[in-house]
Amino acid sequence: MKRLLILGGTGEAVELANAVARRCGDRIRILSSLAGRTRKPRPMAGELRVGGFGGATGLAGYLREMRIDFVIDATHPFAARISANARRACDAAGVPRLMLVRPPWVSRAKDRWIVVPDTAAAVRRLPRLGRRAFVALGSGGRAAFDGLKDVVLIFRVAEARDPLPLPGREVIVARGPFRMADEVRLLNQWRVDVVVSRNSGGAATYAKIAAARELAIPVIMIERPPSEPGCGATNVEEAVEWILRELD
Ligand code: NAP
């Protein structure tokens, strides 16, 4: 039986594990890996391991020890370090690797996007664009805003962690997928006049972008880090097809 390692942490990684289990049956053993950021991971087909590998060298060791035949990197497009480690580890261990990367969002008519290269640039632009910002970057992106004054920051995170004691900071705990009507209500309720978002792509978190368009609110859109070179799929179906071809 061949062994597939899915590097996860996204909805697509869960869908992929389930789809591979359905389509490939007992021809393949599925191992999914999570960094350990969420306390309650969504259930998925196959086995789950949690925690870092110890860099590219640690991951290469894991691939050899577990006799992994294929790796699918289905991590978030902003999780650049694990993807770089996966490329180096797979090269070192001679394991075929596929990246499952959802396409980025593209600006439409009436969108008011200000595209910036990274979070630091978003923080610099923010005070000139609004006074009440909805910041949907996950828990990891919050620290970059620490020095920012005179802007009320409304963060949304998937899980309640440490409370934010600072005045002018609010935290909404909610996990996607989100609906546009709810996002419009949220932006109105919190009197948001600017949104800060990563260009994550996908349907689950797009509603805030559509809601901002509807309300003519500017969006500071943080571009993705460069993608790792290598074989790529843009959706779960393409990734399953890749595995089926590799199994033949
Ligand atoms: P990162 O900066 O690329 O990775 C940091 C370290 O976390 C890696 O070096 C690795 O540790 C460990 N790691 C990351 N993903 C892992 C995985 N799937 N399995 C085992 N170890 C993993 O990643 P991040 O931005 O902190 O994201 C962490 C996880 O959250 C990823 O799985 C990602 O898919 C998910 N996520 C990230 C975002 C985001 O905006 N960045 C959004 C949604 C979900 P070692 O070097 O010790 O192996």
Side-chain angles (χ1 to χ4, degrees):
M1 191 190 268
K2 299 283 186 186
R3 297 178 183 199
L4 166 68
L5 174 67
I6 299 174
L7 297 170
T10 57
E12 286 90 341
V14 174
E15 285 169 35
L16 178 66
N18 295 341
V20 171
R22 257 194 329 269
R23 300 275 299 278
C24 305
D26 55 10
R27 295 163 73 196
I28 199 155
R29 179 176 162 194
I30 305 163
L31 297 105
S32 288
S33 172
L34 297 178
R37 304 280 190 270
T38 46
R39 291 191 189 106
K40 272 196 190 165
R42 277 169 55 186
M44 66 196 88
E47 297 152 55
L48 181 64
R49 67 159 301 285
V50 180
F53 297 98
T57 312
L59 179 51
Y62 178 87
L63 298 177
R64 290 192 188 100
E65 185 191 327
M66 296 299 290
R67 289 179 285 115
I68 299 293
D69 296 288
F70 321 105
V71 169
I72 298 186
D73 174 2
T75 57
H76 192 271
F78 279 82
R81 195 148 22 122
I82 185 69
S83 291
N85 289 349
R87 174 180 54 77
R88 290 207 295 273
C90 288
D91 287 353
V95 175
R97 169 184 60 100
L98 179 83
M99 280 174 301
L100 170 53
V101 186
R102 52 177 106 126
W105 297 318
V106 176
S107 159
R108 300 192 195 165
K110 298 200 176 155
D111 273 331
R112 296 178 59 202
W113 288 14
I114 298 95
V115 177
V116 295
D118 51 33
T119 309
V123 173
R124 284 196 298 276
R125 295 295 291 271
L126 189 48
R128 277 177 279 154
L129 289 160
R131 284 284 161 268
R132 295 182 62 85
F134 179 55
V135 186
L137 303 182
S139 336
R142 282 211 309 255
F145 294 80
D146 277 356
L148 201 61
K149 300 204 171 59
D150 303 328
V151 181
V152 175
L153 298 167
I154 300 130
F155 293 102
R156 181 162 63 197
V157 297
E159 281 188 354
R161 296 239 162 173
D162 303 334
L164 280 181
L166 299 171
R169 266 66 170 157
E170 307 282 351
V171 179
I172 300 169
V173 181
R175 191 186 289 266
F178 300 103
R179 293 182 319 161
M180 176 160 155
D182 296 330
E183 298 291 63
V184 168
R185 200 171 308 122
L186 182 143
L187 296 181
N188 280 330
Q189 180 191 339
W190 288 92
R191 290 178 286 115
V192 168
D193 55 10
V194 57
V195 171
V196 183
S197 172
R198 290 175 172 165
N199 194 338
S200 298
T205 58
Y206 184 71
K208 63 177 177 285
I209 307 301
R213 182 192 308 130
E214 174 86 7
L215 299 171
I217 292 173
V219 176
I220 303 180
M221 185 63 81
I222 304 169
E223 284 183 307
R224 295 176 172 195
S227 178
E228 287 298 320
C231 191
T234 58
N235 57 50
V236 168
E237 183 54 35
E238 280 176 30
V240 174
E241 294 297 330
W242 180 80
I243 276 292
L244 288 168
R245 280 196 302 278
E246 292 284 332
L247 284 175
D248 283 342

